[in-house]
């Protein structure tokens, strides 16, 4: 009997071992495991292909399994784009072999977002030469210096990577020049008006005299970042001195010539491009615009439906504006800024944070509270930058945030107040940090950070910017402002809405319906905008940056509609606080996903 008992025990042990091995094997092959393996593969490949982008997404790449620290920049080439499309197709095929019903509820949203993101990128690959990396208003030639100036140094390796990136810029720009030549051969090169602007930027941004005397911002910001490392005892003075010399040498001998060479190549291509007109005049231009519109806005509505929505908003806001003016004819004589209390950006941001508390959730619990610095755009870049912008922090380090203000137009008073609401609180900074804290708390896959929807981000920022006019009126009331001044604040809000709505309609008219400069001028004249230089400037801005205005205003209208939907479905359970919390926790996604989230919250 002893031998039987011993045999049975051994049999049970062997059976249990087999079960454990089998369970592990099944887990490795499970849909959830395969899904996250796919996400990890995609995220690692995306990060490893572009060191500059990776540095802005990850503070510590090694914690995400990215150990290779060799700095790289992605080169423009048809072959690389074809390889990328093939890779996307393979990932989509693998994704379709994973039944979403067998993965968790939380992962299903990620699954949906991944599939849509990949599908749109797959379609975009068919329009490789329709992209324009050198847009005068937001092209890489003006964005690259800012990204490099803000490249955080956390270690000696970061400094080495940064200097390697500088050394790669000549090859990077050469690939872009080749791309623009290929566009020219296909009849898709930019207009002469656009080329002149970009060429001027290439010759002006890397100003030789400032580089040589050490006053250029790419020299001074580099020195400040080295100083921070020395204060942390991560760098000696001798090492810092060597790095300073290498930085200056690379800027003068590599980066500046690369900019000049790119400008020279574009100068040679002038005259080979398309006339200054919208995408609709290009072969397949309307199809490309439709895809770009959906990809950028995350809006599934047809363009005809969007136009109806915009027209209705324009009429309603125009009627309200006319009503205010008819009730107070003298209101137009008020000065835009004289009536609003003057303060520095930090004071305005503090006021906004105080006033938003009742309608917006506090940050999820965190050991590190986010801080921010308001900076001025360097004078070398003021002519080429937006009035203001916010740089997102890495997903694993939200402690430091930067808001840039462009002093070219000297924003102050109400304009500065609402701009800081857009970029800071409760705008981009608050939205970004809140969502990232939620992601950390829930242990969300880092690949979630890849899915960007311009209208979710910019639509939210414009939505809260419009709310900030209410906060401004509260501040004015506290300071004893007259009813006329309070009405004037509302008039300015309506004027801002009308302007962006009109430009969004014109964007569709130019790029989808084929409107030309004369038609745009006729439309603008109906709203009192008749200065030929101003109308031409508006037309050029729309031609050069398709879907830029819709990215803001369509997103804004979608958030208004989402709020109305929540109020209708939730009824007595509705509050602005609850609505905003749902939007922020869901994060960047198409608007139909947010609609579904609101419906689920009502059940």
């Amino acid at each position: 009997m002893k031998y039987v008992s011993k045999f049975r025990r051994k049999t049970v042990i062997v059976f249990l071992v087999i079960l454990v091995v089998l369970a592990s094997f099944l887990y490795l092959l499970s849909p959830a495991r395969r899904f996250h393996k796919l996400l990890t593969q995609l995220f690692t490949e995306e990060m490893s292909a572009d060191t500059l982008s990776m540095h802005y997404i990850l503070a510590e790449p090694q914690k995400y399994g990215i150990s290779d620290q060799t700095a790289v920049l992605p080169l423009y080439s048809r072959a690389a784009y074809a390889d990328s499309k093939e890779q996307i197709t393979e990932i989509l095929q693998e994704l379709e072999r994973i039944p979403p019903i067998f993965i968790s509820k939380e992962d299903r949203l990620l699954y949906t977002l991944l599939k849509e993101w990949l599908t749109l990128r797959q379609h975009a690959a068919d329009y490789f030469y329709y992209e324009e990396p050198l847009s005068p208003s937001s092209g890489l030639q003006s964005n690259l210096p800012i990204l490099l100036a803000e490249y955080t140094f956390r270690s000696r390796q970061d400094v080495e990577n940064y200097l390697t990136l500088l050394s790669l810029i000549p090859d990077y720009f050469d690939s872009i020049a080749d791309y623009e030549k290929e566009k020219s051969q296909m009849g898709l090169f930019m207009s002469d008006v656009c080329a002149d602007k970009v060429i001027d930027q290439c010759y002006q941004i890397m100003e030789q005299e400032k580089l040589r005397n050490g006053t250029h911002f790419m020299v001074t910001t580099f020195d400040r970042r080295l100083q921070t490392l020395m204060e942390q005892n991560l760098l000696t003075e001798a090492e810092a001195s060597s790095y300073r010399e290498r930085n200056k040498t690379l800027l003068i001998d590599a980066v500046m010539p690369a900019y000049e060479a790119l400008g020279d190549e574009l100068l040679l291509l002038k005259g080979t491009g398309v006339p200054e007109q919208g995408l609709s005049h290009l072969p397949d231009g309307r199809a490309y615009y439709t895809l770009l519109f959906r990809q950028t806005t995350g809006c599934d509505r047809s363009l005809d439906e969007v136009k109806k929505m915009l027209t209705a908003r324009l009429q309603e806001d125009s009627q309200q504006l006319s009503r205010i003016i008819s009730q107070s004819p003298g209101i137009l004589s008020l000065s835009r800024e004289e009536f609003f209390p003057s303060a520095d950006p930090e004071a305005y941001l503090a006021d906004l944070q105080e006033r938003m508390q009742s309608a917006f959730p506090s940050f999820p619990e965190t050991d590190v509270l986010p801080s921010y610095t308001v900076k001025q755009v360097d004078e070398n870049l003021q002519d080429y930058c937006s009035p203001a912008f916010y740089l997102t922090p890495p997903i694993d380090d939200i402690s430091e945030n930067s808001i840039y203000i462009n002093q070219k137009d000297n924003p102050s008073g109400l304009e500065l107040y609402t701009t800081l609401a857009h970029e800071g609180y409760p705008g981009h900074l608050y939205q970004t940090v809140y969502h990232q804290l939620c992601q950390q708390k829930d242990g969300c896959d880092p690949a979630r950070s890849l899915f960007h929807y311009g209208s979710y981000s910019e639509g939210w920022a414009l939505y809260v910017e419009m709310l900030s006019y209410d906060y401004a009126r509260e501040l004015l009331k506290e300071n004893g402002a007259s009813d006329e001044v309070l009405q004037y604040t509302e008039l300015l809000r309506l004027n801002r809405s009308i302007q962006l709505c009109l430009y969004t309609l014109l964007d569709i008219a130019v790029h989808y319906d084929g409107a030309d400069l004369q038609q745009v001028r006729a439309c603008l004249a109906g709203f009192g905008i008749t200065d030929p230089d101003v109308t031409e400037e508006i037309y050029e801005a729309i031609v050069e940056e398709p879907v830029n205005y819709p990215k803001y205003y369509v997103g804004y209208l979608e958030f208004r509609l989402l709020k109305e939907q929540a109020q209708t479905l939730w009824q007595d359970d509705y509050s602005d606080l609850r609505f905003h919390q749902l939007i922020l926790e869901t994060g960047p996604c198409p608007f139909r996903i947010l609609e579904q989230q609101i419906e689920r919250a009502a059940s």
Side-chain angles (χ1 to χ4, degrees):
M1 294 294 294
K2 283 185 178 180
Y3 290 105
V4 173
S5 177
K6 189 175 181 180
F7 174 76
R8 285 177 178 172
R9 286 199 300 270
K10 286 183 178 180
T11 302
V12 170
I13 292 171
V14 170
F15 182 68
L16 289 174
V17 169
I18 292 172
L19 281 179
V20 170
V21 171
L22 182 60
S24 300
F25 180 71
L26 289 173
Y27 172 72
L28 289 172
L29 296 179
S30 72
R33 175 69 177 175
R34 286 160 53 201
F35 178 59
H36 282 283
K37 183 179 179 181
L38 196 63
L39 287 172
T40 300
Q41 174 193 338
L42 176 65
F43 184 72
T44 302
E45 289 175 354
E46 290 281 333
M47 294 299 96
S48 300
D50 185 351
T51 302
L52 185 59
S53 295
M54 180 183 70
H55 195 72
Y56 275 89
I57 295 175
L58 299 176
E60 300 183 73
Q62 62 277 8
K63 290 187 176 180
Y64 296 83
I66 303 172
S67 56
D68 185 4
Q69 293 290 304
T70 304
V72 293
L73 285 175
L75 302 182
Y76 273 74
S77 78
R78 182 72 190 182
Y81 217 70
D83 290 343
S84 175
K85 182 179 181 181
E86 184 178 347
Q87 181 189 32
I88 289 170
T89 302
E90 290 174 357
I91 294 174
L92 271 171
Q93 290 172 348
E94 177 62 27
L95 188 66
E96 288 170 357
R97 286 193 285 267
I98 300 174
I101 194 172
F102 293 119
I103 60 178
S104 68
K105 180 182 176 182
E106 292 74 21
D107 280 347
R108 277 178 222 158
L109 173 59
L110 199 53
Y111 181 101
T112 301
L113 293 176
L114 175 61
K115 188 172 183 178
E116 171 153 333
W117 181 72
L118 290 170
T119 301
L120 289 173
R121 286 185 67 185
Q122 186 183 46
H123 292 327
D126 295 330
Y127 300 95
F128 177 61
Y129 291 109
Y130 285 74
E131 295 181 11
E132 184 48 75
L134 301 178
S135 164
S137 57
S138 62
L140 61 86
Q141 74 283 352
S142 58
N143 281 342
L144 183 60
I146 295 173
L147 293 174
L148 289 169
E150 281 291 314
Y151 193 99
T152 305
F153 293 164
R154 302 181 182 90
S155 66
R156 184 183 286 102
Q157 183 63 54
D158 286 338
V159 185
E160 291 288 349
N161 284 351
Y162 175 87
L163 294 172
T164 301
L165 288 174
L166 293 186
S167 72
L168 294 173
I169 289 175
D171 287 341
Y172 182 49
F173 276 16
D174 283 347
S175 75
I176 294 167
D178 289 340
Y179 171 75
E180 293 293 346
K181 291 174 189 175
E182 291 167 9
K183 286 187 67 167
S184 172
Q185 293 167 4
M186 299 188 68
L188 297 173
F189 183 65
M190 66 184 77
S191 70
D192 285 357
V193 173
C194 182
D196 281 335
K197 294 177 183 178
V198 180
I199 291 167
D200 180 63
Q201 292 173 20
C202 288
Y203 291 156
Q204 297 296 325
I205 288 174
M206 301 304 295
E207 192 174 338
Q208 184 176 22
E209 184 179 350
K210 288 188 174 182
L211 287 173
R212 293 192 182 282
N213 64 28
T215 60
H216 194 281
F217 72 96
M218 288 192 70
V219 176
T220 57
T221 55
F222 182 82
D223 293 349
R224 283 199 296 268
R225 285 172 285 167
L226 290 184
Q227 184 62 38
T228 300
L229 288 181
M230 287 191 292
E231 291 170 357
Q232 298 170 348
N233 295 319
L234 296 176
L235 213 61
T236 67
E237 177 58 47
E239 290 170 328
S241 178
S242 174
Y243 280 139
R244 289 191 195 99
E245 189 61 33
R246 285 174 61 187
N247 178 58
K248 192 172 181 180
T249 299
L250 282 166
L251 289 173
I252 294 173
D253 294 344
V255 180
M256 184 179 70
Y259 266 87
E260 291 174 347
L262 180 59
D264 292 344
E265 292 289 356
L266 296 177
L267 191 60
L268 292 173
L269 291 172
K270 265 192 67 177
T272 68
V274 297
E276 191 181 28
Q277 57 192 12
L279 292 171
S280 60
H281 295 277
L282 300 177
D284 298 322
R286 296 180 83 210
Y288 173 64
Y289 179 76
T290 303
L291 173 65
L292 185 64
F293 192 95
R294 181 180 174 189
Q295 193 174 28
T296 304
T297 65
C299 171
D300 292 337
R301 303 176 194 274
S302 69
L303 287 172
D304 286 338
E305 187 180 357
V306 171
K307 285 192 284 188
K308 289 178 183 178
M309 182 171 69
L310 291 166
T311 302
R313 183 79 257 158
L314 187 63
Q315 291 174 345
E316 184 175 340
D317 283 352
S318 297
Q319 289 170 1
Q320 288 186 33
L321 186 72
S322 298
R323 197 175 302 119
I324 291 174
I325 294 173
S326 63
Q327 291 172 353
S328 305
I331 200 169
L332 294 178
S333 63
L334 290 173
S335 169
R336 176 181 287 266
E337 300 301 341
E338 284 181 2
F339 66 91
F340 199 77
S342 178
D344 59 33
E346 285 74 14
Y348 280 154
L349 284 165
D351 185 81
L352 287 162
Q353 289 177 74
E354 180 68 27
R355 296 182 191 279
M356 65 179 273
Q357 286 184 11
S358 62
F360 295 86
S362 301
F363 286 135
E365 290 186 13
T366 175
D367 295 333
V368 182
L369 289 174
S371 63
Y372 60 82
T373 305
V374 180
K375 303 179 181 180
Q376 307 300 325
V377 173
D378 188 271
E379 61 180 14
N380 288 48
L381 294 170
Q382 287 181 359
D383 290 339
Y384 320 124
C385 285
S386 303
F389 56 90
Y390 163 73
L391 286 179
T392 57
I395 61 175
D396 53 342
D397 182 9
I398 47 81
S399 59
E400 296 181 7
N401 298 265
S402 296
I403 298 172
Y404 275 90
I405 303 295
N406 191 341
Q407 288 296 329
K408 180 185 177 183
D409 299 320
N410 194 29
S412 60
L414 180 63
E415 181 184 3
L416 180 58
Y417 186 86
T418 55
T419 295
L420 290 169
H422 183 113
E423 305 296 343
Y425 288 91
H428 287 315
L429 189 158
Y430 167 77
Q431 172 200 44
T432 300
V433 172
Y434 188 100
H435 180 63
Q436 289 185 4
L437 288 173
C438 288
Q439 297 296 91
Q440 292 174 15
K441 180 182 176 183
D442 296 339
C444 187
D445 196 290
R448 177 70 169 89
S449 63
L450 298 176
F451 312 143
H452 177 72
Y453 292 88
S455 274
Y456 176 92
S457 176
E458 296 299 352
W460 170 272
L462 183 57
Y463 164 77
V464 298
E465 177 189 330
M466 293 301 180
L467 291 180
S468 73
Y469 282 89
D470 295 334
Y471 299 154
R473 279 193 291 277
E474 292 175 6
L475 179 58
L476 288 168
K477 279 183 182 179
E478 293 166 5
N479 290 344
S482 66
D483 289 342
E484 189 175 50
V485 166
L486 298 179
Q487 281 187 316
Y488 185 58
T489 307
E490 176 61 10
L491 181 145
L492 292 176
R493 185 192 69 79
L494 289 167
N495 185 66
R496 169 79 165 151
S497 178
I498 290 169
Q499 181 189 55
L500 292 176
C501 186
L502 177 60
Y503 292 174
T504 300
L505 277 166
L506 287 175
D507 191 278
I508 299 173
V510 167
H511 291 293
Y512 188 76
D513 298 325
D516 59 19
L517 174 58
Q518 296 309 316
Q519 290 171 306
V520 168
R521 278 181 168 158
C523 179
L524 291 171
F527 290 84
I529 305 173
T530 56
D531 185 310
D533 291 338
V534 173
T535 54
E536 186 170 358
E537 184 179 343
I538 293 169
Y539 178 73
E540 288 177 5
I542 291 171
V543 168
E544 293 164 2
E545 195 86 22
V547 197
N548 182 47
Y549 289 112
K551 177 172 62 179
Y552 291 81
Y553 202 79
V554 170
Y556 162 63
L557 292 186
E558 289 286 4
F559 278 118
R560 286 177 59 106
L561 291 171
L562 288 171
K563 178 181 277 191
E564 292 173 6
Q565 178 194 21
Q567 289 169 335
T568 300
L569 293 178
W570 298 352
Q571 297 186 12
D572 292 342
D573 292 330
Y574 174 85
S575 71
D576 285 349
L577 179 65
R578 185 187 177 199
F579 171 68
H580 294 149
Q581 186 167 351
L582 181 145
I583 297 297
L584 292 163
E585 290 181 353
T586 303
C589 63
F591 286 103
R592 75 170 185 282
I593 299 293
L594 293 171
E595 291 176 5
Q596 293 167 3
Q597 295 291 88
I598 289 171
E599 290 170 0
R600 291 192 188 100
S603 58

